[in-house]
Amino acid sequence: MSEKLQKVLARAGKGSRREIEKFIEANRVSVDGKVARLGDRVEPNQSIRLDGHTVKIEEPEERICRVLMYHKPEGELCTRKDPEGRPTVFDRLMRLDDDRWIAVGRLDVNTSGLLLFTNDGELANRLMHPKYEVEREYAVRVFGEVTTQTLKTLTTGVELEDGPAKFLKIKPHGGEGINKWFNVILTEGRNREVRRLWQSQDVEVSRLIRVRYGDLELGKRMPQGGWEELNLTEVNYLRKLVDLGRETETKLSVIPEKRKDKRAKISRIRKAVKKHKQRTPVKKRT
């Protein structure tokens, strides 16, 4: 049975569907020696190449779906490689044999917090798609006058350059003077949407941290630059959110962690973060 080309490549871990569509438009993909076009469908026995390299096509059940939770620091780019040599969110992640991590959405360079990665392109695509309305929660520090009317406007809806947008909820979290903290919730991940919503009310965001994705919360003890792999229950929670079937296998131990094991794991993560900082050269400014 034929399938859409971008779906097959996403399942093979070559990127999200949106990324792959860009690859196709840039004539980087071929099928049986012919340059592919958007909308092409492929059969299991056809030869697919990306940038001249043969892509190993897998049936859906062949891959074990894996997901990482990463605590992104400010200053890292959500790209695989940066021409200027700046740090990226992929630099610290463990490498996969014959596979690769796909970022679920993006956080801009000045935003920190929870970022998910998966080797399953279909899962990544659905988690990013606004159709599934997966909640994202951010802690945000703003600078400016915030009135009751401001909050009402932001939850009712404002018109941005790429269409209407709003927060589902806004929860005050203290602060002094015109520097205040709020937790905001929305169900889509448009570029810089949280910042642009506040800017529409003449309020500037001075700090932005993603603290929750769906029901998955960023652990308070997870250091910036640290990551951990989600267990089978957590992976299946994400898959159920976007109407994908359950996974039955995991690369992790299925034995429940004891408290001392959890403490030891956090200690290992902190050591790994420190080691990475020590071996990463500081780029000199010119």
Side-chain angles (χ1 to χ4, degrees):
M1 182 182 293
S2 67
E3 292 184 280
K4 286 186 177 180
L5 176 58
Q6 54 263 49
K7 182 177 181 179
V8 171
L9 288 173
R11 191 169 66 233
K14 300 304 178 183
S16 69
R17 288 197 195 181
R18 291 179 183 177
E19 289 176 319
I20 291 165
E21 286 173 358
K22 292 179 181 179
F23 298 163
I24 295 172
E25 289 175 338
N27 298 329
R28 294 172 57 187
V29 181
S30 67
V31 179
D32 289 341
K34 296 181 180 180
V35 176
R37 295 288 180 261
L38 283 176
D40 282 356
R41 300 181 70 88
V42 293
E43 299 287 346
N45 60 347
Q46 290 186 282
S47 173
I48 303 175
R49 290 178 177 266
L50 173 61
D51 294 333
H53 301 287
T54 300
V55 178
K56 180 183 177 183
I57 303 304
E58 300 175 334
E59 293 300 320
E61 62 272 13
E62 290 184 11
R63 170 186 279 112
I64 295 176
C65 177
R66 304 174 70 178
V67 182
L68 298 183
M69 178 186 290
Y70 178 61
H71 188 169
K72 176 191 176 297
E74 292 182 12
E76 287 187 354
L77 300 173
C78 285
T79 185
R80 293 189 185 277
K81 293 182 181 179
D82 178 60
E84 299 178 25
R86 291 171 294 180
T88 80
V89 295
F90 291 93
D91 292 344
R92 304 175 193 260
L93 306 185
M94 64 177 176
R95 298 188 182 278
L96 298 175
D97 295 331
D98 299 320
D99 212 340
R100 71 175 187 169
W101 296 113
I102 302 166
V104 179
R106 305 168 70 90
L107 295 176
D108 67 55
V109 67
N110 295 319
T111 300
S112 62
L114 190 160
L115 186 61
L116 296 178
F117 294 86
T118 180
N119 65 333
D120 187 326
E122 183 63 20
L123 176 61
N125 181 68
R126 293 195 185 196
L127 286 172
M128 290 184 281
H129 201 290
K131 166 186 173 182
Y132 295 98
E133 298 186 337
V134 180
E135 287 190 358
R136 290 92 154 157
E137 183 171 354
Y138 296 81
V140 52
R141 185 177 67 193
V142 299
F143 177 80
E145 184 180 3
V146 180
T147 65
T148 302
Q149 183 58 47
T150 301
L151 301 180
K152 182 178 180 181
T153 300
L154 288 172
T155 52
T156 301
V158 299
E159 190 69 32
L160 301 179
E161 58 268 28
D162 53 354
K166 67 178 181 179
F167 294 125
L168 290 184
K169 294 180 183 178
I170 303 177
K171 299 180 286 187
H173 271 270
E176 298 180 356
I178 55 176
N179 286 286
K180 290 186 172 60
W181 281 93
F182 297 88
N183 272 35
V184 299
I185 299 172
L186 68 171
T187 57
E188 53 185 7
R190 281 189 269 168
N191 184 40
R192 297 175 63 84
E193 187 171 4
V194 174
R195 296 180 188 274
R196 290 188 292 134
L197 274 165
W198 285 104
Q199 287 170 354
S200 73
Q201 305 304 301
D202 297 321
V203 178
E204 292 297 320
V205 172
S206 57
R207 190 87 185 275
L208 186 59
I209 309 165
R210 184 193 279 167
V211 297
R212 180 170 65 85
Y213 199 101
D215 285 347
L216 297 177
E217 296 184 354
L218 182 65
K220 294 181 179 179
R221 299 181 62 192
M222 174 65 70
Q224 288 196 352
W227 58 264
E228 65 174 321
E229 186 164 355
L230 300 188
N231 61 40
L232 187 58
T233 299
E234 292 167 325
V235 169
N236 279 327
Y237 159 73
L238 289 173
R239 294 179 67 83
K240 185 177 179 180
L241 269 184
V242 293
D243 300 332
L244 286 175
R246 290 178 56 82
E247 280 285 311
T248 58
E249 296 183 69
T250 178
K251 295 285 188 178
L252 300 180
S253 170
V254 295
I255 301 174
E257 283 185 313
K258 297 179 181 179
R259 183 175 296 180
K260 65 178 182 179
D261 295 330
K262 293 180 180 179
R263 288 198 298 265
K265 181 173 68 175
I266 292 296
S267 178
R268 289 195 299 271
I269 292 171
R270 291 184 183 278
K271 288 179 181 179
V273 170
K274 185 177 180 180
K275 185 176 181 181
H276 179 84
K277 288 180 179 178
Q278 290 173 342
R279 71 169 184 262
T280 302
V282 177
K283 186 177 179 181
K284 295 181 179 180
R285 295 185 178 182
T286 57

